[in-house]
Amino acid sequence: MRVRFERVTKRFGSHVAADAIDLEIDAGECLVLVGPSGCGKTTVLRLLAGLESADAGRIRIGDRVVNDVPPAERDVAMVFQNYALYPHFSVFDNIAFPLRTRSVARVEIESRVIAAARRLGLDDLLERKPGQLSGGQQQRVALARALVRSPAVYLMDEPLSNLDAQLRRQMRTDLKSLQQELKTTMVYVTHDQAEAMTLGSRVAIMQRGRIVQTGPPLELYRNPSHRFVATFLGSPAMNIVAETPSIDLGVRPEDVELSRTPLGDGWREARVVVVEPMGNETIATVELDGMRVVARGGAEPIARAGDKVWMRFVRERVMYFDRVTGDRVKGATATTQNAVEDTEHN
Ligand SMILES: Nc1ncnc2c1ncn2[C@@H]1O[C@H](COP(=O)(O)OP(=O)(O)OP(=O)(O)O)[C@@H](O)[C@H]1O
Ligand SMILES: [Mg+2]
């Protein structure tokens, strides 16, 4: 079902946790809400679930305004950030819980619980109590408890945060394929930029209670409207260097070229500080004029720490931001870059 936030504000005392949020999530879409700790992600989910009430604005699920609808009647299934399980219930009973409270028939409960458990690799753990599970297994039980239902909307609050890197990576793919299969509207909260890039058909980036930019992940990556968005998406993060007293230059690590020899105009001498071979690529940190720049290169490192190298930014990929507001400055491109090179050559 479609979800809409219309200028929704939530305050805790004088703190504005959600500031005039406008957000539209299409039926069947997975929208990822991403941003640093404390920016208001959980608050937005809790507002949608009905666990917090909005101070201003309207929230709609489908065509219905749900501001005054109690949580149980909103037909949303939420995976909480701290995935509280019932400690005295078995895994089976934890997963079955939302079906029992909705008086689903016994045989149906059994088949749905088993299907959800199988999907999350929990079939052998159904008799255990949460205390006998690892953190990652507990988190999967919490996911299964949401998946066992067929709600109008799934709300997921960092559902993979407790898994090790490999399992997290795999669950990310599984969740995406599951969402594509179920076509249930989903709002997925994370502070992990990789999850944001890969899971959502669209991403909304939050900072201090506000949504800074919303759009398809690649569009935000390639065309950020703000320095915050530019540096939040991508790992290693976009390099930001002082260009002029009022403008910051941003360049992604993959748009920084390194060479053992200068290949023409625009190459500057730098010193390699750190080399991180990743197997499939190499991340190198170089230093020039007291600033550090991170470059992403091929599998084979071209230099070692301490070496002298030549560096160049891929000019068409460079972005500019207002130093104070962080807003993207367009049209400043070639001139400022030329200015740098002119200074170089003088
Ligand atoms: N019940 C509450 N009372 C007072 N302040 C609150 C309450 N809940 C949240 N806040 C504050 O509102 C802000 C947003 O909190 P929220 O939990 O939405 O952040 P978040 O983006 O989910 O962060 P994290 O990534 O750490 O989970 C924070 O500054 C938080 O301290
Ligand atoms: Mg949170």
Side-chain angles (χ1 to χ4, degrees), residues 227 230-231 233-234 236-242 248-257 283-286 288 291-296 311-313 317-321:
R227 185 179 51 208
T231 52
L233 295 179
M238 176 183 274
N239 296 287
I240 298 289
V241 299
D248 278 340
L249 177 155
V251 61
R252 295 207 178 274
E254 57 267 35
D255 300 326
V256 178
E257 295 177 298
I283 307 298
T285 305
V286 304
L288 72 164
M291 70 176 179
R292 287 190 171 193
V293 173
V294 176
R296 165 180 272 142
M311 183 199 81
R312 180 174 78 164
F313 297 158
R317 299 286 185 80
V318 163
M319 298 175 196
Y320 296 91
F321 304 96

Side-chain angles (χ1 to χ4, degrees), residues 243 268 289 335-346:
E243 173 79 350
R268 306 167 70 182
D289 305 338
T335 47
T336 28
Q337 175 85 3
N338 284 337
V340 175
E341 283 161 20
D342 290 346
T343 329
E344 278 296 289
H345 296 151
N346 287 341

Side-chain angles (χ1 to χ4, degrees), residues 99-217:
L99 300 179
R100 294 212 167 108
T101 57
R102 283 167 184 80
S103 35
V104 176
R106 210 157 173 249
V107 272
E108 166 139 22
I109 291 182
E110 173 134 353
S111 69
R112 278 162 75 174
V113 169
I114 289 171
R118 185 163 299 148
R119 195 157 238 158
L120 290 159
L122 295 166
D123 6 6
D124 295 336
L125 306 174
L126 287 170
E127 302 308 315
R128 295 219 202 149
K129 299 274 168 62
Q132 300 167 311
L133 301 176
S134 72
Q137 288 165 338
Q138 290 180 35
Q139 197 152 41
R140 281 183 277 152
V141 175
L143 265 173
R145 189 170 58 184
L147 295 182
V148 80
R149 292 180 50 199
S150 336
V153 187
Y154 284 120
L155 307 181
M156 306 254 172
D157 197 351
E158 312 236 9
L160 310 182
S161 57
N162 240 343
L163 307 180
D164 65 47
Q166 206 163 356
L167 191 55
R168 190 179 175 128
R169 175 71 190 71
Q170 187 210 317
M171 287 286 301
R172 193 171 94 197
T173 310
D174 291 352
L175 263 182
K176 183 163 183 168
S177 102
L178 187 72
Q179 203 275 334
Q180 286 168 354
E181 180 190 324
L182 299 176
K183 295 191 176 62
T184 303
T185 311
M186 186 185 285
V187 186
Y188 186 101
V189 160
T190 181
H191 59 259
D192 179 334
Q193 65 87 31
E195 270 171 37
M197 288 296 297
T198 53
L199 266 174
S201 51
R202 284 185 312 137
V203 177
I205 302 202
M206 281 189 82
Q207 182 188 34
R208 292 195 291 271
R210 293 191 177 184
I211 292 179
V212 185
Q213 193 176 2
T214 307

Side-chain angles (χ1 to χ4, degrees), residues 38 40-43 81 157-158 189:
K41 305 180 295 295
T42 297
T43 301
Q81 193 165 7
D157 197 351
E158 312 236 9
V189 160

Side-chain angles (χ1 to χ4, degrees), residues 48-119:
L48 186 50
L51 303 169
E52 303 287 356
S53 60
D55 293 312
R58 260 199 299 254
I59 301 172
R60 290 176 197 270
I61 298 178
D63 292 326
R64 182 161 76 140
V65 175
V66 294
N67 289 52
D68 297 321
V69 176
E73 289 166 32
R74 293 197 188 188
D75 198 21
V76 302
M78 181 154 170
V79 176
F80 292 90
Q81 193 165 7
N82 49 17
Y83 57 86
L85 302 175
Y86 301 102
H88 305 299
F89 285 6
S90 67
V91 167
F92 184 99
D93 290 333
N94 265 285
I95 300 174
F97 189 81
L99 300 179
R100 294 212 167 108
T101 57
R102 283 167 184 80
S103 35
V104 176
R106 210 157 173 249
V107 272
E108 166 139 22
I109 291 182
E110 173 134 353
S111 69
R112 278 162 75 174
V113 169
I114 289 171
R118 185 163 299 148
R119 195 157 238 158

